[in-house]
Amino acid sequence: MPDRPNVLLLFTDQHRLSALGCYGDTVCRTPTIDALAEDGVRFETAYTVCPVCSPTRGTIMTGLYPHSHGICSNVANLGSSVHELPDRDDLLSYRLREAGYRCGYTGKWHLGHGPRTTFGAPNDPALPSTRGFEGQDFPGHGGGGFRYEEYRDYLTAHGWRHDLRPWPEGRPMPVPVGELTGPVESTVPYFLAENTISMAERFRDADEPWFIWHNNWGPHGPYYATGEYLDLYRDVEIEPWENFDWPARNIPGPHQTKLHARAERLDWETWAEMLRYYYAFTTMIDDQFARIIEYLRQSEQLENTVIIFTSDHGETCGSHGGLTDKGWHHFEETHRIGMIVRFPDGSHAGEVRGEFASNADVYPTICDLAGAEYDAEAIHGRSLLPLIDGGAEDWRDCAVTEFHGVNQVSMSQRTIRHGDLKYGWNAAGEDELYDLARDPHETVNLLRHPAYRDDASAMRERLFAWMQETADPVRGIYQSSVLDYERL
């Protein structure tokens, strides 16, 4: 492999594993991502550090868990300690620039805003261009990306519009969906791919190694796709989730915060229709990945480019009795993510690693690929390269996900998986324990089952050890409210 390869980070938003063909049996078509898995290394059990957009993006930039970098919920939301990504010397972009790399940014940012007042005080605007990147500057969340002036100007220049076909009356959807009337060239994913291709061309002409972080707003809702992609799924039968009949309303717990208000009145076919749009949106994004990769091939840059694919977190899409969005539970649908690394020399093609990976590992992995210096002891992620090469010692034996709230509502949760056991701490309410070997769809809480008493105790202690290791600020209240009581 080249000493200073280009690095392309393909990033999706709210991407559940059922929308990735290489992760199991699904009707969703992702041939480009699947090909990356065939040509690279796929991580079977990768977990997000947090099932919320901004905190995970902060982790990509710092290698730290959200409780350390401070973006604990979406920026400008209650529950986040920091509302603009701090301008610190150890940001990924600065590390790479010090190593001689050009850093390009495409798409969703969600790590800060332009100049504004947040909670009564002026902010220090954090945008890609103020944090070491060239490329697009889209402040805030973006709501799908189709309201920004740059995209609107793109449409106008080509004579296109961002319009939806009328939605039939009497067909309510759990979340907004729609069929776009324009050609695929008029969509946000195509527009974003154009930007990445343009940057890669510019960087190539300058004969400098580059890192480009290509971010999509999808398949996060709203689920909008053109007719050609919806046609792939209109007549496709989608089987109900194995946990669709889980009695979510009758089981007390934080998950009810995200239970659809009409969950009991929405039949499976309604959710399946929504999923057809979700999958169509995903396939449309996948095709834009193909365009970028084909450009790299034709420009003879693919032979010098490492491609990493991953996501910020997953999506519920009606699982567990009608849950929507993300957050407020410990379930695989939002916590487990796709992660693939493809090397330009074809090494490790088709390999699957079963060890626990995390999107906290992206930062040190990219630094190692670029030969950029960083303090491995000061971050929480670990480079995946030694693991891929088979030489990693004392690799982690657990994966932890933290949650602090979203949508202006706050609460602390921690999820830890060790082996096939998963323990979830809820700061308010009963904790949870699932045996994924016997109950892969997480329908039975075994916390108080006599046969799992020792397992529950061991998992509590294991989580506390992680809290101490990472200086998690909630470790004191966790010890006093959980461990001290359980140790009696």
Side-chain angles (χ1 to χ4, degrees):
M1 188 177 72
D3 291 335
R4 289 160 57 81
N6 303 321
V7 181
L8 173 63
L9 175 57
L10 298 174
F11 208 75
T12 50
D13 189 351
Q14 210 147 306
H15 196 162
R16 58 178 290 137
L17 292 188
S18 76
L20 285 170
C22 54
Y23 275 86
D25 186 24
T26 178
V27 300
C28 189
R29 304 183 189 185
T30 53
T32 307
I33 299 172
D34 297 350
L36 291 177
E38 291 175 5
D39 295 340
V41 184
R42 182 173 67 83
F43 292 86
E44 179 68 21
T45 49
Y47 281 83
T48 183
V49 294
C50 180
V52 182
C53 304
S54 296
T56 299
R57 294 164 194 275
T59 294
I60 299 294
M61 288 294 288
T62 64
L64 298 169
Y65 266 83
H67 69 254
S68 289
H69 63 62
I71 303 175
C72 300
S73 184
N74 283 336
V75 290
N77 270 211
L78 296 176
S80 186
S81 301
V82 175
H83 299 286
E84 306 281 337
L85 178 68
D87 195 11
R88 43 194 290 173
D89 293 339
D90 58 355
L91 294 180
L92 176 62
S93 50
Y94 294 153
R95 295 291 192 193
L96 295 175
R97 287 176 62 177
E98 289 171 359
Y101 274 66
R102 297 278 291 275
C103 294
Y105 202 91
T106 290
K108 180 176 177 177
W109 175 240
H110 211 188
L111 286 172
H113 302 78
R116 61 178 284 174
T117 298
T118 304
F119 298 110
N123 67 341
D124 175 19
L127 293 170
S129 62
T130 69
R131 298 298 185 266
F133 288 101
E134 306 171 47
Q136 294 175 327
D137 267 346
F138 293 131
H141 178 282
F146 42 80
R147 296 185 181 90
Y148 288 111
E149 184 176 355
E150 184 178 336
Y151 173 62
R152 291 293 177 175
D153 289 345
Y154 168 79
L155 293 179
T156 300
H158 291 85
W160 297 320
R161 295 171 58 88
H162 184 276
D163 289 332
L164 299 170
R165 296 195 183 282
W167 187 254
E169 295 182 11
R171 289 183 60 204
M173 284 288 103
V175 300
V177 304
E179 180 176 344
L180 295 166
T181 60
V184 66
E185 292 84 0
S186 69
T187 65
V188 171
Y190 193 99
F191 162 73
L192 298 179
E194 287 287 281
N195 184 74
T196 290
I197 291 170
S198 175
M199 281 194 298
E201 180 78 3
R202 190 167 70 250
F203 294 163
R204 182 192 68 158
D205 290 344
D207 196 27
E208 296 173 291
W210 51 258
F211 164 66
I212 296 177
W213 188 1
H214 179 89
N215 283 268
N216 287 273
W217 274 278
H220 187 297
Y223 310 148
Y224 295 161
T226 59
E228 66 188 276
Y229 291 98
L230 288 166
D231 287 346
L232 298 173
Y233 298 99
R234 293 190 199 275
D235 299 323
V236 171
E237 183 176 350
I238 301 177
E239 295 295 323
W241 308 130
E242 294 287 344
N243 53 30
F244 180 67
D245 292 328
W246 191 65
R249 190 85 65 187
N250 298 327
I251 298 176
H255 66 270
Q256 294 204 14
T257 306
K258 283 294 182 177
L259 181 61
H260 197 284
R262 300 171 60 250
E264 290 80 7
R265 285 175 278 179
L266 294 173
D267 60 15
W268 172 250
E269 182 49 38
T270 302
W271 290 101
E273 181 69 2
M274 180 203 73
L275 276 166
R276 293 182 183 102
Y277 285 82
Y278 180 77
Y279 289 161
F281 190 13
T282 303
T283 302
M284 189 168 72
I285 291 169
D286 185 85
D287 270 4
Q288 301 319 304
F289 289 168
R291 288 184 57 234
I292 296 169
I293 294 169
E294 182 57 27
Y295 159 76
L296 294 176
R297 179 177 290 108
Q298 292 184 5
S299 63
E300 299 182 347
Q301 295 186 79
L302 189 60
E303 61 196 33
N304 188 42
T305 302
V306 175
I307 301 176
I308 300 174
F309 165 80
T310 192
S311 310
D312 54 359
H313 52 78
E315 159 72 274
T316 48
C317 287
S319 60
H320 277 93
L323 298 184
T324 62
D325 201 30
K326 71 272 186 178
W328 307 99
H329 55 78
H330 306 278
F331 300 137
E332 295 282 276
E333 290 90 347
T334 59
H335 286 31
R336 194 163 149 234
I337 57 173
M339 185 174 289
I340 299 166
V341 180
R342 178 197 183 276
F343 297 98
D345 62 2
S347 60
H348 306 286
E351 292 184 5
V352 178
R353 304 296 309 204
E355 294 88 348
F356 291 117
S358 164
N359 40 28
D361 301 330
V362 171
Y363 175 105
T365 300
I366 293 175
C367 284
D368 276 358
L369 286 167
E373 295 183 358
Y374 66 98
D375 185 352
E377 299 300 319
I379 63 173
H380 298 139
R382 294 182 63 180
S383 173
L384 295 170
L385 300 186
L387 178 62
I388 292 171
D389 288 335
E393 296 181 1
D394 301 321
W395 191 260
R396 67 173 70 93
D397 63 358
C398 64
V400 179
T401 299
E402 61 183 67
F403 177 73
H404 306 268
V406 69
N407 304 130
Q408 306 290 3
V409 182
S410 302
M411 177 192 173
S412 287
Q413 290 180 302
R414 300 292 183 271
T415 310
I416 183 168
R417 178 176 171 183
H418 172 69
D420 288 320
L421 292 177
K422 180 192 283 186
Y423 167 69
W425 172 61
N426 300 317
E430 179 83 334
D431 296 343
E432 301 168 46
L433 181 70
Y434 299 99
D435 185 341
L436 299 181
R438 297 184 176 183
D439 179 26
H441 306 292
E442 300 166 291
T443 61
V444 180
N445 183 2
L446 298 167
L447 187 76
R448 301 301 173 190
H449 193 292
Y452 285 84
R453 168 174 280 187
D454 290 344
D455 290 321
S457 178
M459 293 295 281
R460 292 189 191 99
E461 296 289 347
R462 191 176 294 275
L463 177 59
F464 185 59
W466 176 88
M467 289 179 172
Q468 290 180 304
E469 179 184 344
T470 64
D472 190 337
V474 305
R475 62 190 183 279
I477 191 68
Y478 175 79
Q479 180 176 17
S480 62
S481 66
V482 177
L483 291 188
D484 288 352
Y485 172 76
E486 296 293 342
R487 289 166 175 169
L488 292 176

